[in-house]
Amino acid sequence: MQIAQRMRPLQANVFADMDRAKFLARSLGKPIVDLSLGSSDLPTPPHVLEAIAAALPDPTTHGYCLFSGTQGFRQAAARWYTDKFGVAVNPETEVLLLIGSQEGTAHLPLAILNPGDFALLMDPGYPSHAGGVYLANGQIYPMPLNPEDGFLPRFEDIPPAVLEQSRLMVLSYPHNPTTATASLAFWQTAVAFCQRHNLVLAHDFPYADLTFTGQPAVSALQADPDKTCTVEFFTMSKSYNMGGFRVGYAIGNAELITALRQVKASVDFNQYPGIQRGAIAALTGPQDTVHHMIDTFRQRRDAAVAALDRIGWAVPVPEATMYIWAPLPEPWGDRSREFCLRLVERTGVALAPGIGFGKAGEGYVRLALVHPPEVLEDAIAHMASFLT
Ligand SMILES: Cc1ncc(COP(=O)(O)O)c(C=O)c1O
């Protein structure tokens, strides 16, 4: 049997090593505090669950759902976007329902890249961005993100020969894992750069709401309101705690939306209509649970940063996302994988090693704030005993 060569880069994975280490520690009876995954522990809002439950016995939700069947969702998403970001959106041509935003960002390269074309990705970055490029037989040019640049890429450092062969740039702010945010001025520069070099700009935007500044994050489409080259990816997983329901959407350039829809038409029949009804209820209903979610993560961030400070581990205070991006203390320096494997083995506390997000992520670990403050404080106390 032959397994395609394009699968090779998908086979070695630091996070799979972490999964094995967690499994082993658990099977030896160690309780695990898992801070390695950004899967929210908060409940899906009750009115969303009620909409899904009400749909279950309705036989019109039981069959395949074609594109025309997603119109109600597309309209709700377009309205939500325009109310929040002030850019007009045509729900018929500029919105596409997705089975989670990861599905969309991973399928997008199939719609854009010819074999051998380059995609410009963030390093560190979300692993499925690279996965999608590998599946499309594309090449990756990692744009290193450094703290001295606020974890924003330096477009001027991309070699001209790579740029010539590049068709896609993927950005994502607020950023997982570094927690960095991007200003409108940054997005205007990014859009102008992509226009100049004939690149598609994909913005993965799951933490649109999850900022601690009192304002939503900036949308890339605010810098490209005519949607000349930009497509933006949204999820219900974070703002509405619906990660398990697998629902997201893309908004952007109509040609890109059509191409992505054509890829998906070969692959799936859209998300279950009952879940779409839940997502519509989330987007159009009361938003108090979103504010509660933001307050919850702010409290957790403050508790975790203070607890880390108490054990002598200084970390930057994140302005967004559900993570802390912590530079490893000496002597661990550039051994994030080993640090995380040993830590879970000895203490049961699981973190995500920075190297799993790319070469430039080495030297860091990511803590996901997916437990209440007292659990985070307890885990950090265990980390202190490991460090000493
Ligand atoms: C940058 C980024 N993109 C996508 C996702 C996954 O989103 P979804 O659940 O919509 O697939 C995550 C989840 O943590 C993420 O951090």
Side-chain angles (χ1 to χ4, degrees), residues 54-77:
L56 271 177
D58 175 355
T60 66
T61 70
H62 296 172
Y64 291 129
C65 177
L66 301 177
F67 179 65
S68 58
T70 70
Q71 187 184 48
F73 178 84
R74 280 183 275 121
Q75 288 171 341

Side-chain angles (χ1 to χ4, degrees), residues 38-39 99-103 105 126 128-129 172 174-176 204-207 234-238 242-243 246-248 322-323 366:
S39 181
I99 304 179
S101 61
Q102 177 165 319
E103 180 259 303
T105 53
Y126 190 64
S128 80
H129 298 166
S172 183
H175 183 230
N176 174 12
D204 192 8
F205 199 24
Y207 305 99
F234 298 83
T235 181
M236 306 300 293
S237 301
K238 310 294 178 185
M242 293 179 70
R246 310 309 304 131
V247 56
M322 48 168 64
Y323 309 107
R366 192 197 69 179

Side-chain angles (χ1 to χ4, degrees), residues 54 77 80 82 106 119 121 143 151 159 167 170 208 213 218 243 249 260 263 270 282 284 294 304 309 311 314 319 370:
W80 176 91
T82 302
L121 303 188
M143 299 182 289
F151 294 110
R167 299 290 171 263
V170 182
T213 55
V218 180
Y249 49 103
L260 186 53
V263 171
N270 296 307
T284 60
I294 296 167
D309 195 50
I311 69 166
E319 282 194 355
V370 292

Side-chain angles (χ1 to χ4, degrees), residues 157-169:
D157 287 355
I158 303 166
V162 169
L163 205 45
E164 199 141 297
Q165 260 185 284
S166 298
R167 299 290 171 263
L168 169 66
M169 177 186 284

